Structure formats: C-alpha cells, structure tokens
Amino acid sequence: GAVVSQHPSWVICKSGTSVKIECRSLDFQATTMFWYRQFPKQSLMLMATSNEGSKATYEQGVEKDKFLINHASLTLSTLTVTSAHPEDSSFYICSARDRGRPKETQYFGPGTRLLVL
Amino acid sequence: GENVEQHPSTLSVQEGDSAVIKCTYSDSASNYFPWYKQELGKGPQLIIDIRSNVGEKKDQRIAVTLNKTAKHFSLHITETQPEDSAVYFCAASASTAGNKLTFGGGTRVLVKP
C-alpha cells in the first residue's frame, strides 16, 4: 500500500517552454503533498507544501510564479515549471501524506527527471 | 529552522560487515526521524523510522537509535549485502512545524562483495 506515482518519469524540453509534472497517490487519499527538487549528488530540498483545495505554501527562495502547484483532488497534485530554463534541470520528486496514517509519514514518488535544453 | 547533519558522506564496507550512519539535528522540537534509501534514478524509499518517545527500533537487519538529549540518531545495517548499496538519507520533522521533513546530506554506501 501507499504507492505514489509520477508522470512523466523524464522529460526534455526547450528553454522557454512549460512542463507539467503529475503526482498521484494510487491507493490512498492524500490531503497533503510535497514537492522536492534534487540536484545531482545532493540532498532533497523541499520546494512547497500542497494541501488539497487550497493554495500551496512555498519555501523561502522558491518562485511561486515559476513553479505552479495545483492540488485539485485528494489523489492528484501537479507541478508546472513555467518558462523553463537550463538551470531548472533537476530531479523533481513528490511525496504524499496518507490521511489514514500517522501524519508524520511521507511516501515518495519515483521522481521526474527534467532536462531543459 | 531545522538543520540536519549526516556523516559520513561515503561509506565502503565489505559484504557481511556492519554499516553505521550518524545524523545530528538542531531543533529540539523535532519528534520524527525517518531514514530513506535512494537507488540511482529513483525516489527515496522509507526503510525505517523512529519517533521521539522511543530510543531504539529494529527491523530485521536494520536498526535505528535515537538520543534526544544529544540530538543525534543513527542507522545500523548488519550483515550488509551488495543490494544494500545505495544513498541513504536521514531526516527530521517536528509536528509543531507542519511535519515538514528536513533531510541530511546523504551517505553513499558501497557494499563490496
């Protein structure tokens, strides 16, 4: 149980275009989802916290107009990287909190590798 | 905010030996300490976690210890196998801070056959 999927698993785009990444909880309802970014050989850095039906909360230094987050249902959150640039190339990982389990526990998706040319 | 330090950054062990990874945290309000294993190109996988009301937890070859006074916690892997080779991350969160995870820098573990 507690499976999180992401789509796509990898994406290549041209500089200036927008890319949407989906995060789904497959077998549970997720009232809260988190988006992380991980650069090569580095740790995970929290970008934003997404609560179903409300606006996302962004960490300091993360541009909310560039990284648009929508959490429209209890099983789906999306991250849109707008006007992507090469420096946005990274591994984007989402996690979800199962409303039926202890709220400290986060289940992670497999990640989406973004390459901006 | 919370700061989590993790050591060592790399660890090479012989198959069958034990591996120990240590983390320290700064926020005394932190009360949840998970450990994740990340294989190349994949998302982190929760392998064990411990809450602040417990000093030690074990799951087969994996154990975690927590010292709240000293604000450090450790991961112990016994009888290591080649498939244990991966990057391991510790993390900490506080219920008073929305249960947001702060990760350590990671430890790259290589188990040599």
Side-chain angles (χ1 to χ4, degrees):
Chain A
V3 178
V4 177
S5 71
Q6 283 184 241
H7 179 80
S9 55
W10 61 270
V11 56
I12 302 173
C13 70
K14 292 183 178 179
S15 185
T17 61
S18 295
V19 174
K20 179 184 283 188
I21 302 170
E22 292 185 350
C23 176
R24 292 182 185 272
S25 55
L26 298 185
D27 52 359
F28 65 97
Q29 292 184 327
T31 51
T32 303
M33 289 183 170
F34 302 87
W35 287 95
Y36 295 84
R37 182 166 51 182
Q38 185 179 33
F39 291 108
K41 297 188 177 181
Q42 293 189 23
S43 189
L44 285 78
M45 296 300 294
L46 179 65
M47 298 175 66
T49 302
S50 162
N51 290 300
E52 185 265 337
S54 62
K55 289 184 178 181
T57 303
Y58 291 82
E59 295 300 300
Q60 194 170 10
V62 177
E63 300 174 59
K64 61 180 180 181
D65 294 330
K66 181 171 185 61
F67 299 99
L68 302 179
I69 293 172
N70 184 284
H71 191 163
S73 78
L74 285 172
T75 60
L76 174 65
S77 177
T78 60
L79 168 68
T80 301
V81 183
T82 62
S83 186
H85 291 286
E87 57 265 31
D88 298 323
S89 299
S90 188
F91 193 46
Y92 292 87
I93 310 171
C94 72
S95 71
R97 182 182 289 164
D98 183 347
R99 69 188 296 186
R101 300 193 189 202
K103 53 186 173 183
E104 309 91 352
T105 309
Q106 294 182 28
Y107 300 95
F108 283 80
T112 296
R113 189 161 302 280
L114 170 64
L115 177 61
V116 184
L117 301 177
Chain B
E2 175 69 282
N3 182 49
V4 179
E5 301 274 348
Q6 184 172 344
H7 298 281
S9 56
T10 60
L11 181 59
S12 181
V13 296
Q14 208 65 39
E15 182 178 0
D17 288 350
S18 294
V20 180
I21 304 170
K22 299 182 178 181
C23 289
T24 60
Y25 61 98
S26 61
D27 188 353
S28 57
S30 288
N31 56 0
Y32 175 66
F33 308 92
W35 286 88
Y36 292 89
K37 176 183 180 182
Q38 186 178 31
E39 297 178 338
L40 191 62
K42 298 184 178 180
Q45 178 188 9
L46 178 68
I47 56 172
I48 196 168
D49 57 10
I50 192 167
R51 289 171 174 80
S52 58
N53 58 345
V54 176
E56 185 174 354
K57 185 176 179 180
K58 189 174 182 180
D59 182 4
Q60 299 182 9
R61 298 187 295 110
I62 295 173
V64 57
T65 59
L66 170 65
N67 183 327
K68 284 213 72 177
T69 303
K71 287 192 264 186
H72 66 69
F73 56 112
S74 301
L75 177 72
H76 303 252
I77 306 173
T78 58
E79 301 172 27
T80 53
Q81 301 166 4
E83 52 265 38
D84 294 329
S85 297
V87 179
Y88 291 81
F89 290 97
C90 63
S93 72
S95 55
T96 53
N99 297 114
K100 293 191 296 184
L101 289 172
T102 300
F103 282 83
T107 298
R108 188 172 300 274
V109 174
L110 175 63
V111 180
K112 296 180 287 186

